[in-house]
Amino acid sequence: MNRRRLLTGGAALTAAATLLPTTRAAAAPAPALPSRAEVVRVLRRVADHWITAHQDPGDNGWANATFFSGLLTLHRLTGTPRYLAYAREWAEKHAYGLKGGGTTRHADNHNAGQAYLDLYAIEPEERKLAAIEESLHRMVYTDQPEKNDDWWWDDALHMGMPPFARLGVLRGDPAYRAKLYSLYDHTKRIEGGPGLYDPATGLWYRDKRFLPGGILSPSGKPVVWSRGNGWVTGGHTKTLKALPPGEPHTAEYRETLTRLVRALARVQRTDGFWNVNLADPDHLPGPETSGTSFFLYGTAYALRARLVDRAAHLPVVSRAWQGLVTTAVHPDGFLGYVQKVGDRPESSQPVTYDSTADFGVGAFLLGGTELARLLG
């Protein structure tokens, strides 16, 4: 049976009917776009607050690694020495290693490799890539290279796609990009039976428990987790930034991100945020920063890459930024309304003005820097 068609039956069509007609934000006038200088000022304030509050740069797990991905992106934009020094201190503390060591297959553990690749690009030294390259090389060549079911949850696309893409390009080895696609294809079309991607909506389920027939919201609607789709958005965006346009699967990654960004525009709230459950606005309603920041990141990139219509999607990024800076960013740079670690809308509730997390700050820095680049 064609796996692409398995989610186009009754439950998936119900999800599509729930999601796609929602256009509340489109009816409200969008705020004016900020200047690039305004955006950079806010990004510096948020980054500086986090660094000042965390003199120890922390562990090399997926959450903190997401922060450093955002911080190094801001460093590339601003050239601020403090940001590079803090990231270098973090990487040296962990000897550029991975949780689980060189034998790990877990995408969460590979996330630190993104920051190591960033640091290598600034100051090339092979030792910085030894751990991430050993781990990915084993998956590609020696450790069950036919096994492709490691990415069983959609967060893994953000953690795992970019290192495979970037290392494959850096080493000129197409086998890394082929392995990337095999892992991706399993997540998209095979995991749980039909795969985690819903072709009827362009959105993604977090894992197989939430597929049609599985976990529903209290009102009986699908659970399409905001940050899960945020991780997917970030993974596709970073991968497209890394791959050459003519790579065999670039067109599919581009088309998938485009559909996702268009779907997100239809369910954005009037205040610029997205709900924790994209399929049910009444399921724990309230602002949430991490998903919103990743959606800002992906939409701003899609605009820069001319994947989506400018007139239709500039209001999306202006609303998102306005919502984040007026609601989530405290005067001193503390970033609130971040849903902490979890796997669904109910996780780490309630989400409040004082809820924050390293990966949420990283997502905000990624989104803001991409907006700054869009603004010129």
Side-chain angles (χ1 to χ4, degrees):
M1 184 179 295
N2 186 338
R3 295 188 183 276
R4 286 178 178 270
R5 300 187 182 278
L6 283 176
L7 276 182
T8 59
L13 291 178
T14 299
T18 301
L19 290 169
L20 299 183
T22 305
T23 56
R24 292 169 296 156
L33 282 166
S35 69
R36 178 187 172 105
E38 290 174 59
V39 172
V40 171
R41 277 196 294 272
V42 175
L43 293 172
R44 287 183 183 277
R45 181 155 37 105
V46 170
D48 291 346
H49 182 280
W50 185 269
I51 293 171
T52 300
H54 297 84
Q55 294 299 308
D56 182 337
D59 68 18
N60 62 345
W62 65 268
N64 204 34
T66 302
F67 165 75
F68 281 98
S69 175
L71 184 68
L72 286 165
T73 301
L74 181 59
H75 172 262
R76 287 194 296 275
L77 181 74
T78 64
T80 305
R82 182 188 188 194
Y83 302 156
L84 177 58
Y86 188 68
R88 190 191 294 116
E89 177 189 356
W90 165 76
E92 295 286 351
K93 173 183 176 180
H94 301 290
Y96 295 90
L98 305 178
K99 284 199 167 187
T103 63
T104 186
R105 300 180 65 95
H106 203 292
D108 283 354
N109 296 336
H110 291 152
N111 198 28
Q114 297 190 45
Y116 300 157
L117 281 155
D118 288 339
L119 290 165
Y120 175 89
I122 298 166
E123 300 168 333
E125 293 177 90
E126 288 300 318
R127 67 186 181 92
K128 297 176 181 178
L129 302 185
I132 186 64
E133 187 160 16
E134 177 191 356
S135 183
L136 300 194
H137 187 274
R138 291 174 65 94
M139 290 180 70
V140 172
Y141 287 109
T142 64
D143 182 5
Q144 303 178 79
E146 74 290 345
K147 176 174 160 49
N148 295 313
D149 60 356
D150 297 279
W151 296 352
W152 53 264
W153 75 117
D154 66 359
D155 313 30
L157 299 188
H158 171 267
M159 316 304 174
M161 288 178 73
F164 274 96
R166 293 178 65 181
L167 196 59
V169 170
L170 179 66
R171 299 308 191 203
D173 188 344
Y176 284 87
R177 292 173 306 211
K179 181 63 175 179
L180 157 61
Y181 186 76
S182 295
L183 291 158
Y184 171 83
D185 187 59
H186 177 93
T187 308
K188 187 175 186 179
R189 298 189 176 91
I190 301 173
E191 177 63 30
L196 303 184
Y197 176 65
D198 182 357
T201 64
L203 300 174
W204 294 65
Y205 295 98
R206 196 270 177 178
D207 58 61
K208 65 184 180 182
R209 297 170 299 166
F210 300 93
L211 289 168
I215 296 172
L216 298 172
S217 76
S219 62
K221 294 179 180 178
V223 176
V224 183
W225 188 37
S226 176
R227 188 163 69 240
N229 279 269
W231 292 127
V232 172
T233 303
H236 280 79
T237 299
K238 290 180 175 182
T239 299
L240 286 169
K241 283 172 170 279
L243 291 178
E247 197 276 334
H249 303 295
T250 296
E252 181 179 340
Y253 301 142
R254 187 185 299 119
E255 188 272 340
T256 304
L257 178 64
T258 301
R259 286 208 64 207
L260 177 54
V261 166
R262 287 173 176 163
L264 292 168
R266 297 186 179 103
V267 292
Q268 188 182 28
R269 294 158 38 134
T270 55
D271 63 2
F273 287 89
W274 279 265
N275 291 303
V276 289
N277 184 355
L278 301 175
D280 187 348
D282 298 319
H283 187 188
L284 297 165
E288 200 287 307
T289 293
S290 63
T292 296
S293 295
F294 273 122
F295 299 153
L296 170 63
Y297 179 51
T299 304
Y301 169 78
L303 281 162
R304 288 186 65 220
R306 301 183 180 180
L307 303 182
V308 294
D309 179 74
R310 189 173 178 87
H313 290 84
L314 273 179
V316 174
V317 298
S318 64
R319 287 190 193 96
W321 180 254
Q322 179 74 5
L324 288 165
V325 299
T326 60
T327 302
V329 178
H330 295 206
D332 64 356
F334 180 98
L335 184 70
Y337 287 109
V338 177
Q339 184 185 18
K340 296 184 181 181
V341 173
D343 63 1
R344 65 188 75 191
E346 289 85 357
S347 300
S348 301
Q349 292 287 347
V351 177
T352 72
Y353 184 62
D354 295 315
S355 301
T356 198
D358 41 13
F359 59 84
V361 176
F364 179 81
L365 299 180
L366 287 166
T369 53
E370 197 64 24
L371 176 59
R373 294 189 188 282
L374 176 65
L375 296 170

